Amino acid sequence: MSRFLSVLLHGFWKDLPPFRLVLGLCPALAVTASANNGLGMGMSVTFVLIFSNLVISLLRNVIPNKVRIASYIVIIATLVVIVEMILQAYFFGLSQQLGIYIPLIVVNCIILGRAEAFASRNTPFLSAVDGLSIGLGFTMSLTVVGSIREMLGAGTWFGMSLASAEFEPFAFMIKAPGAFICLGLLLGLMNAFSHWRGENVIQK
Amino acid sequence: MREIAKLVLVLGLICGISAGSLATVRTRLADRIEQQNDLFVRGPALELLLQQPANDILGHKLTIDTPEGSMVVFYSQESGTVCGLAIETIGKGGYGGDIAVMLGVNMESNKLLGLEIIKHQETPGIGSQIEKSAFRNQWLGLPAHGPIQLTNEGGTIDGISGATYSTKAVIQGSQKALSAYMNSKDQISDLIQQSDAADQTQLDS
């Protein structure tokens, strides 16, 4: 039971992607110009992660070691294309905005990383829980980064206008360099917080 | 030997099952995706090209057979006569794959009504400039007998620097639409009459 809880919760702080794992930085930087995009990207990754972990864990004794990476990629790519079609069918606007970054989930290191590090060694149930935990952590981070960038860069949050008319949006934040600075500052704050608490998880 | 056979078998099975599930999802969702495309991509493009509400034009959909395969054509009517056509084609050879374009033609004056990009996967910021109106407006008012060419080939279109592949794919697609229009004008008129007659009988009954 304690194992279940630790697997369920590790994605929210201990292994929080992309800050703690420092994987999956490309989508975290590229699509977080608005909170909505961050949330959509996070949900897509969560879906892929849960099912890829589940399927890979079910097949972990069947897949020969030598072709495991190839098999993982085929499974992940299939799930990503399914997500892409679902987005096109039901969330067309979002799929237009995320564009090329949806197919690129295939090469998102988080997914392959979890398959290799967790799903290939654990039971299907625990692997799915791990996917859920890491996926929700990723969604949370992307939504936070997206919110900060959208609020500062456009004066809105999820498209709702927040600021008064005098507020001059800090347009730099919704451009690419703003993503690096926002992510870097958040990572720095998190590390400072961990350091202050005496946790031993600071990235060297 | 047995080991290799097992590797091939397992990988083959995984690929087969993946392909099967993808095909299932695709057939299930194809209609819905097409609807969404009509609503969010074709609709606005048609409104801009033919200056009529999208709902009116989306119903006016034809498929014509040309030597280069079948093409989708939309038409707009004003007081019973056809005035505008929008022909959708695929331009081959874009940097990120094929580019779907839609070309508007005025059937009376034989002039182009404009160009819209329906779908592309070009590099953001470089090839994606084909979406900009400054580029697309170069099609406005060109004669329908063509040819559409780049300025350095004797035509009137200024390409986008750094995006030669994208530019050429768009030109190729629109040229294809034009030749389809010139070659199958009669076929299009016939089809429009037929579908009008069908609409009429539906209304009568």
Side-chain angles (χ1 to χ4, degrees), chain B residues 35-123:
Chain B
Q35 268 176 24
Q36 299 276 309
N37 259 318
D38 278 354
L39 195 65
F40 289 107
V41 182
R42 290 203 182 112
L46 285 168
E47 269 179 16
L48 284 173
L49 286 178
L50 304 179
Q51 307 288 335
Q52 281 190 6
N55 281 339
D56 295 358
I57 315 168
L58 281 172
H60 294 163
K61 189 175 180 179
L62 305 170
T63 312
I64 56 167
D65 295 315
T66 66
E68 280 148 338
S70 62
M71 283 179 200
V72 178
V73 178
F74 295 89
Y75 61 94
S76 69
Q77 285 177 317
E78 214 153 283
S79 58
T81 53
V82 176
C83 48
L85 285 184
I87 306 164
E88 195 181 324
T89 48
I90 307 284
K92 297 266 180 209
Y95 197 71
D98 294 344
I99 300 176
V101 298
M102 196 182 263
L103 193 73
V105 189
N106 186 327
M107 277 192 103
E108 281 160 8
S109 66
N110 270 328
K111 290 246 165 79
L112 299 194
L113 291 169
L115 175 87
E116 293 284 331
I117 309 293
I118 300 297
K119 197 177 162 196
H120 75 87
Q121 289 135 16
E122 301 306 293
T123 321

Coordinates of all heavy atoms in Angstrom, one line a residue, chain B residues 35-123:
Chain B
Q35 N -16.0 16.7 -40.8 CA -16.9 17.7 -40.4 C -16.2 18.9 -39.8 O -16.5 20.1 -40.1 CB -17.9 17.2 -39.3 CG -19.1 16.6 -39.9 CD -19.9 15.9 -38.7 OE1 -19.8 16.4 -37.6 NE2 -20.8 15.0 -39.1
Q36 N -15.3 18.6 -38.8 CA -14.6 19.6 -38.1 C -13.7 20.5 -39.1 O -13.6 21.7 -39.0 CB -13.6 19.0 -37.1 CG -14.3 18.3 -36.0 CD -14.9 19.2 -34.9 OE1 -14.1 20.0 -34.4 NE2 -16.1 19.1 -34.6
N37 N -13.1 19.8 -40.1 CA -12.4 20.5 -41.1 C -13.3 21.4 -41.9 O -12.9 22.5 -42.2 CB -11.8 19.5 -42.1 CG -10.3 19.3 -41.8 OD1 -9.6 20.2 -41.5 ND2 -9.9 18.0 -41.8
D38 N -14.5 20.9 -42.3 CA -15.4 21.8 -43.0 C -15.7 23.0 -42.2 O -15.8 24.1 -42.6 CB -16.7 21.0 -43.3 CG -16.6 20.1 -44.5 OD1 -15.5 20.2 -45.2 OD2 -17.5 19.4 -44.8
L39 N -16.0 22.8 -40.9 CA -16.5 23.8 -40.0 C -15.4 24.9 -39.7 O -15.6 26.1 -39.8 CB -16.9 23.2 -38.7 CG -17.8 24.1 -37.8 CD1 -19.1 24.4 -38.4 CD2 -18.0 23.3 -36.5
F40 N -14.2 24.4 -39.4 CA -13.2 25.4 -38.9 C -12.1 25.8 -40.0 O -11.5 26.8 -39.8 CB -12.4 24.7 -37.8 CG -13.2 24.6 -36.5 CD1 -13.7 23.4 -36.1 CD2 -13.5 25.8 -35.8 CE1 -14.4 23.3 -34.9 CE2 -14.3 25.7 -34.6 CZ -14.7 24.5 -34.2
V41 N -12.0 25.0 -41.0 CA -10.9 25.3 -42.0 C -11.5 25.7 -43.4 O -11.4 26.8 -43.9 CB -9.9 24.2 -42.2 CG1 -8.9 24.6 -43.2 CG2 -9.3 23.8 -40.9
R42 N -12.3 24.8 -43.9 CA -12.9 25.0 -45.2 C -13.9 26.2 -45.2 O -13.9 27.0 -46.0 CB -13.6 23.8 -45.8 CG -12.6 22.7 -46.1 CD -13.2 21.8 -47.2 NE -12.2 20.8 -47.5 CZ -12.4 19.5 -47.1 NH1 -13.5 19.1 -46.5 NH2 -11.5 18.6 -47.4
G43 N -14.8 26.2 -44.1 CA -15.8 27.1 -44.0 C -15.3 28.6 -44.1 O -15.6 29.3 -45.0
P44 N -14.4 28.9 -43.1 CA -13.8 30.3 -43.2 C -13.1 30.6 -44.5 O -13.3 31.7 -45.0 CB -12.8 30.3 -42.0 CG -13.3 29.3 -41.1 CD -13.9 28.2 -41.9
A45 N -12.4 29.6 -45.1 CA -11.7 29.9 -46.3 C -12.7 30.2 -47.4 O -12.6 31.1 -48.2 CB -10.9 28.7 -46.7
L46 N -13.8 29.4 -47.4 CA -14.8 29.6 -48.5 C -15.5 30.9 -48.3 O -15.8 31.6 -49.3 CB -15.9 28.5 -48.4 CG -15.4 27.1 -48.9 CD1 -16.4 26.0 -48.5 CD2 -15.3 27.2 -50.4
E47 N -15.8 31.3 -47.1 CA -16.4 32.6 -46.8 C -15.6 33.7 -47.4 O -16.1 34.7 -48.0 CB -16.6 32.9 -45.3 CG -18.0 32.4 -44.9 CD -18.2 32.6 -43.4 OE1 -17.4 33.4 -42.8 OE2 -19.1 32.0 -42.9
L48 N -14.2 33.6 -47.2 CA -13.3 34.7 -47.7 C -13.3 34.7 -49.2 O -13.3 35.7 -49.9 CB -11.9 34.5 -47.1 CG -11.8 34.9 -45.7 CD1 -10.4 34.5 -45.2 CD2 -11.9 36.4 -45.6
L49 N -13.3 33.5 -49.8 CA -13.1 33.4 -51.3 C -14.4 33.8 -52.0 O -14.3 34.5 -53.0 CB -12.7 32.0 -51.7 CG -11.3 31.5 -51.4 CD1 -11.1 30.1 -51.8 CD2 -10.3 32.4 -52.1
L50 N -15.5 33.3 -51.5 CA -16.7 33.4 -52.3 C -17.7 34.5 -51.7 O -18.7 34.7 -52.3 CB -17.4 32.1 -52.4 CG -16.6 31.0 -53.0 CD1 -17.3 29.7 -53.1 CD2 -16.1 31.3 -54.4
Q51 N -17.3 35.0 -50.6 CA -18.1 36.1 -50.0 C -19.6 35.7 -49.7 O -20.5 36.5 -49.9 CB -18.1 37.4 -50.9 CG -16.7 37.8 -51.3 CD -16.0 38.5 -50.1 OE1 -16.6 39.0 -49.2 NE2 -14.7 38.5 -50.2
Q52 N -19.8 34.5 -49.3 CA -21.1 34.1 -48.9 C -21.0 33.3 -47.6 O -19.9 32.7 -47.3 CB -21.7 33.2 -50.0 CG -22.3 34.0 -51.1 CD -23.1 33.1 -52.1 OE1 -23.4 32.0 -51.8 NE2 -23.5 33.7 -53.2
P53 N -22.1 33.2 -46.8 CA -22.0 32.4 -45.6 C -21.6 31.0 -45.8 O -22.0 30.4 -46.8 CB -23.4 32.4 -45.0 CG -24.1 33.6 -45.7 CD -23.4 33.8 -47.0
A54 N -20.7 30.5 -44.9 CA -20.1 29.1 -45.2 C -21.2 28.0 -45.3 O -21.0 27.1 -46.1 CB -19.2 28.8 -44.0
N55 N -22.3 28.2 -44.5 CA -23.3 27.1 -44.5 C -23.9 27.0 -45.8 O -24.3 25.8 -46.2 CB -24.4 27.4 -43.4 CG -23.9 27.1 -42.1 OD1 -23.0 26.3 -41.9 ND2 -24.5 27.7 -41.0
D56 N -24.1 28.1 -46.6 CA -24.7 28.0 -47.9 C -23.8 27.2 -48.8 O -24.2 26.4 -49.6 CB -24.9 29.4 -48.5 CG -25.9 30.2 -47.7 OD1 -26.5 29.5 -46.7 OD2 -26.2 31.3 -48.0
I57 N -22.5 27.5 -48.7 CA -21.5 27.0 -49.7 C -21.2 25.5 -49.4 O -21.0 24.7 -50.3 CB -20.3 27.8 -49.8 CG1 -20.6 29.3 -49.9 CG2 -19.5 27.5 -51.1 CD1 -19.4 30.2 -49.7
L58 N -21.1 25.2 -48.1 CA -20.6 23.9 -47.8 C -21.5 22.8 -48.3 O -21.1 21.7 -48.6 CB -20.5 23.7 -46.3 CG -19.2 24.3 -45.7 CD1 -19.3 24.3 -44.2 CD2 -18.0 23.6 -46.1
G59 N -22.8 23.1 -48.5 CA -23.7 22.2 -49.1 C -23.5 22.0 -50.6 O -23.9 21.0 -51.2
H60 N -22.9 23.0 -51.2 CA -22.6 23.0 -52.6 C -21.3 22.3 -52.9 O -20.3 23.0 -53.3 CB -22.7 24.4 -53.2 CG -24.0 25.0 -53.2 ND1 -24.2 26.4 -53.3 CD2 -25.2 24.5 -52.9 CE1 -25.5 26.6 -53.2 NE2 -26.1 25.5 -53.0
K61 N -21.2 21.0 -52.7 CA -19.9 20.3 -52.9 C -20.0 19.3 -54.0 O -20.9 18.6 -54.1 CB -19.7 19.6 -51.5 CG -18.3 19.1 -51.4 CD -18.2 18.5 -50.0 CE -16.8 17.9 -49.7 NZ -16.7 17.4 -48.3
L62 N -19.0 19.4 -54.9 CA -18.9 18.5 -56.0 C -17.6 17.8 -56.0 O -16.6 18.3 -55.4 CB -19.0 19.2 -57.3 CG -20.2 20.1 -57.6 CD1 -19.9 20.9 -58.8 CD2 -21.5 19.3 -57.7
T63 N -17.6 16.6 -56.6 CA -16.3 15.9 -56.8 C -16.1 15.7 -58.3 O -17.0 15.2 -58.9 CB -16.2 14.6 -56.1 OG1 -16.7 14.8 -54.7 CG2 -14.9 14.1 -56.0
I64 N -15.0 16.3 -58.8 CA -14.8 16.1 -60.3 C -13.6 15.2 -60.5 O -12.7 15.1 -59.7 CB -14.5 17.5 -61.0 CG1 -13.4 18.2 -60.3 CG2 -15.8 18.4 -61.0 CD1 -12.8 19.4 -61.2
D65 N -13.7 14.5 -61.6 CA -12.6 13.6 -62.0 C -11.7 14.3 -63.0 O -12.2 14.8 -64.0 CB -13.2 12.3 -62.6 CG -14.0 11.5 -61.6 OD1 -13.5 11.4 -60.5 OD2 -15.1 11.1 -61.9
T66 N -10.4 14.3 -62.7 CA -9.5 14.9 -63.6 C -8.4 13.9 -63.9 O -8.3 12.9 -63.1 CB -8.9 16.2 -63.0 OG1 -8.1 15.8 -61.9 CG2 -9.9 17.2 -62.6
P67 N -7.5 14.2 -64.9 CA -6.4 13.2 -65.1 C -5.5 13.1 -63.9 O -4.8 12.1 -63.7 CB -5.7 13.9 -66.3 CG -6.6 14.8 -66.9 CD -7.6 15.2 -65.9
E68 N -5.5 14.2 -63.0 CA -4.7 14.1 -61.8 C -5.4 13.6 -60.6 O -5.0 13.9 -59.5 CB -4.1 15.5 -61.5 CG -2.9 15.8 -62.4 CD -2.9 17.3 -62.8 OE1 -3.9 18.0 -62.7 OE2 -1.8 17.8 -63.1
G69 N -6.5 12.9 -60.8 CA -7.3 12.4 -59.6 C -8.5 13.2 -59.4 O -8.7 14.3 -60.0
S70 N -9.3 12.8 -58.4 CA -10.5 13.5 -58.1 C -10.3 14.8 -57.3 O -9.4 14.8 -56.4 CB -11.5 12.6 -57.5 OG -11.1 12.2 -56.3
M71 N -11.0 15.8 -57.5 CA -10.9 17.1 -56.7 C -12.2 17.5 -56.2 O -13.2 17.3 -56.8 CB -10.3 18.2 -57.6 CG -8.9 18.1 -58.0 SD -8.4 19.4 -59.0 CE -6.9 18.7 -59.7
V72 N -12.1 18.2 -55.0 CA -13.4 18.7 -54.4 C -13.6 20.1 -54.9 O -12.7 20.9 -54.9 CB -13.3 18.7 -52.9 CG1 -14.5 19.2 -52.3 CG2 -13.0 17.2 -52.5
V73 N -14.8 20.4 -55.3 CA -15.1 21.8 -55.8 C -16.4 22.3 -55.1 O -17.3 21.6 -54.9 CB -15.4 21.8 -57.3 CG1 -15.8 23.1 -57.8 CG2 -14.2 21.3 -58.1
F74 N -16.3 23.5 -54.6 CA -17.5 24.1 -54.0 C -17.9 25.3 -54.9 O -17.1 25.9 -55.6 CB -17.1 24.7 -52.6 CG -16.7 23.7 -51.6 CD1 -15.4 23.3 -51.4 CD2 -17.7 23.2 -50.8 CE1 -15.1 22.4 -50.5 CE2 -17.4 22.2 -49.8 CZ -16.0 21.8 -49.7
Y75 N -19.2 25.6 -55.0 CA -19.6 26.7 -55.8 C -20.6 27.6 -55.1 O -21.3 27.1 -54.2 CB -20.2 26.1 -57.1 CG -21.5 25.3 -57.0 CD1 -22.7 25.9 -57.0 CD2 -21.3 23.9 -56.8 CE1 -23.9 25.1 -56.9 CE2 -22.5 23.1 -56.6 CZ -23.7 23.7 -56.7 OH -24.8 22.9 -56.6
S76 N -20.6 28.8 -55.5 CA -21.6 29.7 -54.9 C -22.6 30.2 -56.0 O -22.2 30.3 -57.1 CB -20.9 30.9 -54.3 OG -20.3 31.7 -55.3
Q77 N -23.8 30.5 -55.6 CA -24.8 30.9 -56.5 C -25.4 32.2 -56.1 O -25.5 32.5 -55.0 CB -25.9 29.9 -56.6 CG -25.5 28.6 -57.3 CD -26.6 27.6 -57.3 OE1 -27.3 27.4 -56.3 NE2 -26.9 27.0 -58.5
E78 N -25.6 33.0 -57.1 CA -26.3 34.3 -56.9 C -27.5 34.3 -57.8 O -27.4 34.3 -59.0 CB -25.4 35.5 -57.1 CG -25.7 36.6 -56.1 CD -24.5 37.4 -55.9 OE1 -23.6 37.0 -55.1 OE2 -24.4 38.5 -56.5
S79 N -28.7 34.4 -57.2 CA -30.0 34.3 -58.0 C -30.0 33.3 -59.1 O -30.2 33.6 -60.2 CB -30.4 35.7 -58.5 OG -29.3 36.2 -59.4
G80 N -29.6 32.1 -58.7 CA -29.7 31.0 -59.6 C -28.6 30.7 -60.5 O -28.3 29.6 -61.0
T81 N -27.7 31.7 -60.8 CA -26.6 31.5 -61.6 C -25.3 31.3 -60.8 O -25.2 31.9 -59.7 CB -26.3 32.6 -62.6 OG1 -26.2 33.8 -61.8 CG2 -27.4 32.7 -63.6
V82 N -24.5 30.4 -61.3 CA -23.2 30.1 -60.6 C -22.2 31.3 -60.8 O -22.1 31.7 -61.9 CB -22.6 28.8 -61.1 CG1 -21.3 28.6 -60.5 CG2 -23.5 27.7 -60.9
C83 N -21.7 31.8 -59.7 CA -20.7 32.9 -60.0 C -19.3 32.5 -59.5 O -18.3 32.8 -60.1 CB -21.2 34.2 -59.4 SG -21.7 34.1 -57.7
G84 N -19.2 31.8 -58.4 CA -17.9 31.5 -57.9 C -17.6 30.0 -57.7 O -18.5 29.3 -57.3
L85 N -16.4 29.6 -58.0 CA -16.0 28.2 -57.7 C -14.8 28.3 -56.7 O -14.0 29.2 -56.8 CB -15.5 27.5 -59.0 CG -16.5 27.1 -60.0 CD1 -15.7 26.4 -61.1 CD2 -17.5 26.2 -59.4
A86 N -14.7 27.3 -55.9 CA -13.5 27.1 -55.0 C -13.1 25.7 -55.2 O -13.8 24.7 -55.0 CB -13.8 27.4 -53.6
I87 N -11.8 25.6 -55.8 CA -11.3 24.2 -56.1 C -10.2 23.9 -55.1 O -9.3 24.7 -54.9 CB -10.7 24.2 -57.5 CG1 -11.8 24.7 -58.5 CG2 -10.3 22.8 -57.9 CD1 -11.2 25.1 -59.8
E88 N -10.3 22.7 -54.5 CA -9.3 22.3 -53.5 C -8.4 21.3 -54.1 O -8.8 20.4 -54.7 CB -10.0 21.7 -52.3 CG -9.1 21.6 -51.1 CD -9.8 20.9 -49.9 OE1 -11.0 21.1 -49.7 OE2 -9.1 20.2 -49.2
T89 N -7.1 21.6 -54.0 CA -6.1 20.7 -54.5 C -4.9 20.5 -53.5 O -4.8 21.2 -52.6 CB -5.4 21.2 -55.9 OG1 -5.0 22.5 -55.7 CG2 -6.3 21.0 -57.0
I90 N -4.1 19.5 -53.9 CA -3.0 19.2 -53.0 C -1.7 19.7 -53.8 O -1.5 19.2 -54.9 CB -2.9 17.7 -52.7 CG1 -4.2 17.2 -52.1 CG2 -1.7 17.4 -51.8 CD1 -4.4 17.6 -50.7
G91 N -0.9 20.5 -53.2 CA 0.4 20.9 -53.9 C 1.4 20.0 -53.4 O 1.6 19.9 -52.2
K92 N 2.1 19.3 -54.3 CA 3.2 18.4 -53.9 C 4.5 19.1 -53.7 O 4.8 20.1 -54.3 CB 3.3 17.3 -55.0 CG 2.1 16.5 -55.2 CD 2.1 15.2 -54.4 CE 0.8 14.4 -54.7 NZ 0.4 13.6 -53.6
G93 N 5.3 18.5 -52.8 CA 6.7 18.9 -52.7 C 6.9 20.0 -51.7 O 7.9 20.7 -51.8
G94 N 6.0 20.2 -50.7 CA 6.3 21.2 -49.6 C 7.4 20.7 -48.8 O 7.7 19.5 -48.8
Y95 N 8.0 21.6 -48.0 CA 9.1 21.1 -47.1 C 8.7 20.2 -46.0 O 9.4 19.3 -45.6 CB 9.7 22.4 -46.5 CG 11.1 22.2 -45.9 CD1 12.2 22.0 -46.8 CD2 11.3 22.1 -44.6 CE1 13.4 21.8 -46.3 CE2 12.6 21.9 -44.1 CZ 13.7 21.8 -44.9 OH 14.9 21.6 -44.4
G96 N 7.4 20.3 -45.6 CA 7.0 19.4 -44.5 C 5.9 18.5 -45.0 O 5.0 18.1 -44.2
G97 N 5.8 18.2 -46.3 CA 4.8 17.4 -46.9 C 3.9 18.1 -47.8 O 4.2 19.3 -48.2
D98 N 2.8 17.5 -48.1 CA 1.9 18.1 -49.1 C 1.1 19.3 -48.5 O 0.9 19.4 -47.3 CB 0.9 17.1 -49.6 CG 1.5 16.0 -50.4 OD1 2.7 16.2 -50.8 OD2 0.9 14.9 -50.6
I99 N 0.8 20.3 -49.4 CA 0.1 21.5 -48.9 C -1.3 21.5 -49.6 O -1.4 21.5 -50.8 CB 0.8 22.8 -49.2 CG1 2.2 22.7 -48.6 CG2 0.1 24.0 -48.8 CD1 3.1 23.9 -48.9
A100 N -2.4 21.5 -48.8 CA -3.7 21.6 -49.4 C -4.1 23.1 -49.6 O -4.0 23.9 -48.6 CB -4.7 20.9 -48.5
V101 N -4.4 23.4 -50.8 CA -4.8 24.8 -51.1 C -6.2 24.9 -51.7 O -6.7 23.9 -52.2 CB -3.8 25.5 -52.1 CG1 -2.4 25.5 -51.5 CG2 -3.8 24.8 -53.4
M102 N -6.8 26.0 -51.6 CA -8.1 26.2 -52.2 C -8.0 27.5 -53.1 O -7.6 28.5 -52.6 CB -9.2 26.4 -51.1 CG -10.6 26.2 -51.6 SD -11.7 26.4 -50.3 CE -12.0 24.8 -49.8
L103 N -8.4 27.3 -54.3 CA -8.3 28.4 -55.3 C -9.7 28.9 -55.7 O -10.6 28.0 -56.1 CB -7.6 27.9 -56.5 CG -7.1 29.0 -57.5 CD1 -5.9 29.7 -56.9 CD2 -6.6 28.4 -58.8
G104 N -10.0 30.2 -55.6 CA -11.3 30.7 -56.0 C -11.3 31.2 -57.4 O -10.3 31.9 -57.8
V105 N -12.3 30.9 -58.2 CA -12.3 31.3 -59.6 C -13.7 31.9 -59.8 O -14.7 31.3 -59.4 CB -12.1 30.2 -60.6 CG1 -12.0 30.7 -62.0 CG2 -10.9 29.3 -60.2
N106 N -13.7 33.1 -60.4 CA -15.0 33.7 -60.9 C -15.3 33.1 -62.2 O -14.6 33.3 -63.2 CB -14.8 35.2 -60.9 CG -16.2 35.9 -61.2 OD1 -17.0 35.3 -61.9 ND2 -16.3 37.0 -60.6
M107 N -16.5 32.4 -62.4 CA -16.8 31.8 -63.6 C -17.2 32.7 -64.7 O -17.1 32.4 -65.9 CB -17.9 30.7 -63.4 CG -17.4 29.4 -62.9 SD -18.6 28.2 -63.0 CE -18.1 27.2 -64.4
E108 N -17.6 33.9 -64.3 CA -18.1 34.9 -65.4 C -16.9 35.6 -65.9 O -16.7 35.7 -67.2 CB -19.1 35.9 -64.8 CG -20.5 35.2 -64.7 CD -21.3 36.0 -63.7 OE1 -20.9 37.0 -63.1 OE2 -22.4 35.5 -63.4
S109 N -16.1 36.2 -65.1 CA -15.0 37.0 -65.6 C -13.7 36.2 -65.8 O -12.8 36.7 -66.4 CB -14.7 38.1 -64.6 OG -14.2 37.6 -63.4
N110 N -13.8 34.9 -65.5 CA -12.6 34.1 -65.6 C -11.3 34.6 -64.9 O -10.2 34.6 -65.4 CB -12.3 33.8 -67.1 CG -13.0 32.6 -67.6 OD1 -13.2 31.6 -66.8 ND2 -13.4 32.6 -68.8
K111 N -11.6 35.3 -63.8 CA -10.4 35.8 -63.0 C -10.4 35.0 -61.6 O -11.4 34.5 -61.2 CB -10.7 37.3 -62.7 CG -10.5 38.1 -63.9 CD -9.3 39.0 -63.8 CE -8.9 39.6 -65.1 NZ -9.7 40.8 -65.5
L112 N -9.2 35.0 -61.0 CA -9.1 34.3 -59.8 C -9.6 35.2 -58.6 O -9.4 36.4 -58.6 CB -7.6 34.0 -59.5 CG -6.9 33.1 -60.5 CD1 -5.6 32.6 -59.9 CD2 -7.8 31.9 -60.8
L113 N -10.3 34.5 -57.7 CA -10.9 35.3 -56.5 C -9.9 35.2 -55.3 O -10.2 35.9 -54.3 CB -12.2 34.6 -56.1 CG -13.4 34.8 -57.1 CD1 -14.5 33.9 -56.7 CD2 -13.8 36.2 -57.1
G114 N -8.9 34.5 -55.5 CA -7.9 34.4 -54.3 C -7.5 33.0 -54.1 O -7.9 32.0 -54.7
L115 N -6.6 32.9 -53.0 CA -6.0 31.6 -52.7 C -6.1 31.5 -51.2 O -5.8 32.4 -50.4 CB -4.6 31.6 -53.1 CG -3.8 30.3 -52.7 CD1 -4.0 29.2 -53.7 CD2 -2.3 30.7 -52.6
E116 N -6.5 30.3 -50.7 CA -6.4 30.0 -49.2 C -5.6 28.8 -49.0 O -5.7 27.8 -49.8 CB -7.9 29.9 -48.7 CG -8.7 31.1 -48.7 CD -8.4 32.1 -47.7 OE1 -7.9 31.7 -46.6 OE2 -8.6 33.3 -47.9
I117 N -4.9 28.8 -47.9 CA -4.2 27.6 -47.5 C -5.0 26.8 -46.6 O -5.4 27.3 -45.5 CB -2.8 27.9 -46.9 CG1 -2.0 28.9 -47.7 CG2 -2.0 26.7 -46.6 CD1 -1.5 28.5 -49.0
I118 N -5.3 25.5 -46.9 CA -6.2 24.7 -46.1 C -5.4 23.9 -45.0 O -5.8 23.9 -43.9 CB -7.0 23.7 -47.0 CG1 -7.9 24.5 -48.0 CG2 -7.9 22.8 -46.1 CD1 -8.9 25.4 -47.3
K119 N -4.3 23.3 -45.5 CA -3.6 22.5 -44.5 C -2.1 22.5 -44.9 O -1.8 22.3 -46.1 CB -4.1 21.1 -44.6 CG -3.7 20.2 -43.4 CD -4.4 18.9 -43.5 CE -3.7 17.9 -42.6 NZ -4.1 16.5 -43.0
H120 N -1.2 22.7 -44.0 CA 0.2 22.6 -44.3 C 1.0 22.2 -43.0 O 0.5 22.4 -41.9 CB 0.7 23.9 -44.8 CG 0.9 25.0 -43.8 ND1 2.1 25.1 -43.1 CD2 0.1 25.9 -43.3 CE1 1.9 26.1 -42.2 NE2 0.7 26.6 -42.3
Q121 N 2.2 21.7 -43.2 CA 3.0 21.4 -42.1 C 4.4 22.0 -42.3 O 5.4 21.4 -42.0 CB 3.2 19.9 -42.0 CG 1.9 19.2 -41.5 CD 1.6 17.9 -42.3 OE1 2.5 17.4 -43.0 NE2 0.4 17.4 -42.2
E122 N 4.4 23.2 -42.8 CA 5.7 23.9 -43.1 C 6.3 24.4 -41.8 O 5.6 24.5 -40.8 CB 5.5 25.1 -44.1 CG 4.9 24.6 -45.4 CD 5.6 23.5 -46.1 OE1 6.8 23.7 -46.5 OE2 5.1 22.4 -46.2
T123 N 7.6 24.7 -41.9 CA 8.3 25.2 -40.7 C 7.7 26.5 -40.2 O 7.5 27.4 -40.9 CB 9.8 25.5 -41.1 OG1 10.2 24.5 -42.0 CG2 10.7 25.5 -39.8

